[in-house]
Amino acid sequence: MNRRLPLTRRTLLAGATALGLATAFPATAQDGPIKLGLVAALSGQSAKSGEAITRGITLAMDKINAEGGVLGRPLELVSRDDESNPGKGLVAARELVQREGVAALIGGLDTPVSLAIVPFANDAKVPFMGPWAAGTPITMNGAEENYVFRVSAVDEIVDEAITEYLVSKYGSKKPGMILINNPWGESNEKGLMKALEKRGMDHAGIEKFENNDVDVVPQLTRLKENGADGLFLVANVAPSAQVVKSLDKMGWDVPVASHWGPAGGRFTELAGDSGEKVHFVQTFLFDSEEHPLYMKLTEKFPEVTSLADVTPATGIGNAYDATLLLAAAIEAAGSTEGPAIREAMYGISGVEGVIKTYDTPFTPDNQDALGPNDYIMSQFVKGEIIPISE
């Protein structure tokens, strides 16, 4: 996985792809391709995140198919745009399972969308792999037979991480919360309260705002007047940018520790230069243009010409590893039936991803493959997401 393929082999593989992988997968391959269904925001403010997830899955499928596929069959991606709408996400998931016959679902960029899909996935007994949405209840959903797995951040763990960050880096004693008013914000409110209670800390208030709010000065003013010496921010790209603009309007220079919502698009273009002051969690970053997956990315998608064009790398890395884990489980199951894949998920090991090597990443009690040791505090600098030096 860590070696760049010679040009001659890449050329041969490209030719095989152009011919429908006829050489690698003869027409007698049982039942044709194994389909994986993607439900994600492929348009709107989070389209860059959906694009990153799509690219990560595509690169993983290229690798897997070049090595002979899964159960001797190629993987095929079938995508649907949920437009960040829970109802549309649920309809898309049903269509992928019932009409397209996908072996597993990947996606749910937004926590509300994922939460809408979870009951359907569990009822239909179809594995649902999350490469982005971080809401704690997505995987911890209480189902007796839980078909939901994740290679991503988890709100409760993120909240612990960003609390520790504000305390240790800035000495914050009374932070305030500015949270998007939806289930994702609610999930993080619970996690942040737990992290503060663990430290015996008070907070300066909990303020909510909407996706379409263009001014959050009133909410931020209340937090400032209550003595906030730091802010927790939870929102996606556009609303996070409105928070930054409102802080600028107030002239309030306060440390901001954020979930990874701002990473999902051209945040600094919307927020302005002050967007670089927002520090947020990531699970994967390319450390250089020599990274093997980055080189494969630029070969596959020539429009990517620099690391600044990769927004966000987390989406690519999470989706890449999630696809490898799904493929390993299907291979181990020897079947594309949901219950067999779910059971196999608990036995896979030694899967080499770009974030880490996964040894027993899932158990019936923990269906999240990533933990706090996999988080990186980051920021935008000149349009590129970089790690924050200690």
Side-chain angles (χ1 to χ4, degrees):
M1 186 178 80
N2 293 326
R3 292 182 298 169
R4 193 174 182 178
L5 294 173
L7 178 60
T8 53
R9 179 158 172 73
R10 286 203 310 271
T11 304
L12 288 172
L13 288 174
T17 301
L19 293 171
L21 294 171
T23 301
F25 303 98
T28 55
Q30 183 182 2
D31 297 331
I34 296 173
K35 295 181 181 180
L36 301 181
L38 172 64
V39 181
L42 304 176
S43 61
Q45 63 158 308
S46 297
K48 285 303 240 182
S49 303
E51 178 184 74
I53 290 169
T54 302
R55 287 175 171 176
I57 296 170
T58 301
L59 291 172
M61 284 187 169
D62 284 352
K63 169 185 167 59
I64 292 162
N65 288 341
E67 294 174 353
V70 177
L71 304 178
R73 299 160 59 185
L75 293 179
E76 178 183 309
L77 180 63
V78 186
S79 302
R80 294 290 184 272
D81 184 3
D82 62 38
E83 301 177 36
S84 295
N85 181 298
K88 291 183 178 181
L90 177 56
V91 170
R94 289 183 182 278
E95 180 182 339
L96 288 168
V97 171
Q98 296 170 355
R99 294 185 183 178
E100 294 290 345
V102 300
L105 293 166
I106 304 175
L109 180 70
D110 301 88
T111 287
V113 176
S114 284
L115 290 174
I117 295 173
V118 165
F120 166 70
N122 283 331
D123 288 345
K125 299 186 185 299
V126 174
F128 177 30
M129 177 69 81
W132 188 282
T136 303
I138 293 170
T139 50
M140 301 177 194
N141 54 59
E144 186 175 343
E145 291 188 3
N146 187 3
Y147 280 77
V148 187
F149 300 84
R150 181 162 47 190
V151 180
S152 184
V154 182
D155 284 346
E156 190 170 298
I157 305 175
V158 170
D159 296 330
E160 169 64 27
I162 61 178
T163 300
E164 180 59 29
Y165 184 75
L166 271 189
V167 171
S168 62
K169 189 172 181 71
Y170 296 101
S172 179
K173 292 181 171 55
K174 193 179 180 182
M177 304 180 203
I178 182 78
L179 313 175
I180 196 69
N181 188 25
N182 68 16
W184 187 37
E186 293 168 9
S187 173
N188 282 280
E189 179 182 343
K190 293 176 183 176
L192 288 166
M193 288 298 295
K194 183 177 179 180
L196 291 173
E197 289 168 2
K198 172 183 171 181
R199 292 165 173 78
M201 290 175 62
D202 193 9
H203 62 80
I206 302 167
E207 296 289 340
K208 303 290 183 71
F209 66 117
E210 306 294 335
N211 268 313
N212 57 358
D213 284 353
V214 296
D215 187 330
V216 290
V217 168
Q219 295 97 315
L220 292 171
T221 298
R222 287 192 289 270
L223 294 175
K224 184 178 182 181
E225 290 175 348
N226 286 338
D229 56 6
L231 293 178
F232 295 120
L233 170 62
V234 178
N236 282 324
V237 178
S240 291
Q242 294 304 332
V243 170
V244 172
K245 289 180 179 179
S246 294
L247 287 170
D248 280 349
K249 190 182 298 185
M250 295 169 61
W252 188 17
D253 187 10
V254 62
V256 181
S258 172
H259 210 307
W260 62 12
R266 299 298 188 188
F267 174 61
T268 49
E269 290 180 12
L270 296 174
D273 292 343
S274 293
E276 296 187 357
K277 297 178 182 179
V278 176
H279 295 180
F280 50 86
V281 165
Q282 295 282 267
T283 52
F284 175 74
L285 293 172
F286 290 116
D287 50 17
S288 78
E289 293 186 354
E290 299 303 312
H291 191 288
L293 188 62
Y294 178 79
M295 292 191 288
K296 291 177 183 176
L297 180 71
T298 57
E299 290 170 6
K300 183 79 174 181
F301 304 99
E303 62 270 29
V304 177
T305 60
S306 72
L307 291 174
D309 293 333
V310 182
T311 308
T314 277
I316 295 172
N318 289 0
Y320 183 89
D321 285 7
T323 306
L324 294 183
L325 290 171
L326 264 178
I330 295 170
E331 186 73 46
S335 168
T336 57
E337 296 298 316
I341 297 170
R342 173 179 173 269
E343 190 61 32
M345 281 284 201
Y346 303 131
I348 56 176
S349 196
V351 178
E352 186 181 352
V354 292
I355 297 174
K356 63 181 181 181
T357 297
Y358 297 85
D359 291 312
T360 316
F362 304 115
T363 69
D365 296 323
N366 182 11
Q367 302 198 174
D368 282 288
L370 301 183
N373 293 334
D374 302 307
Y375 294 174
I376 309 162
M377 289 303 296
S378 312
Q379 67 184 132
F380 275 100
V381 174
K382 296 181 179 178
E384 179 183 337
I385 299 174
I386 65 169
I388 294 171
S389 54
E390 297 297 331

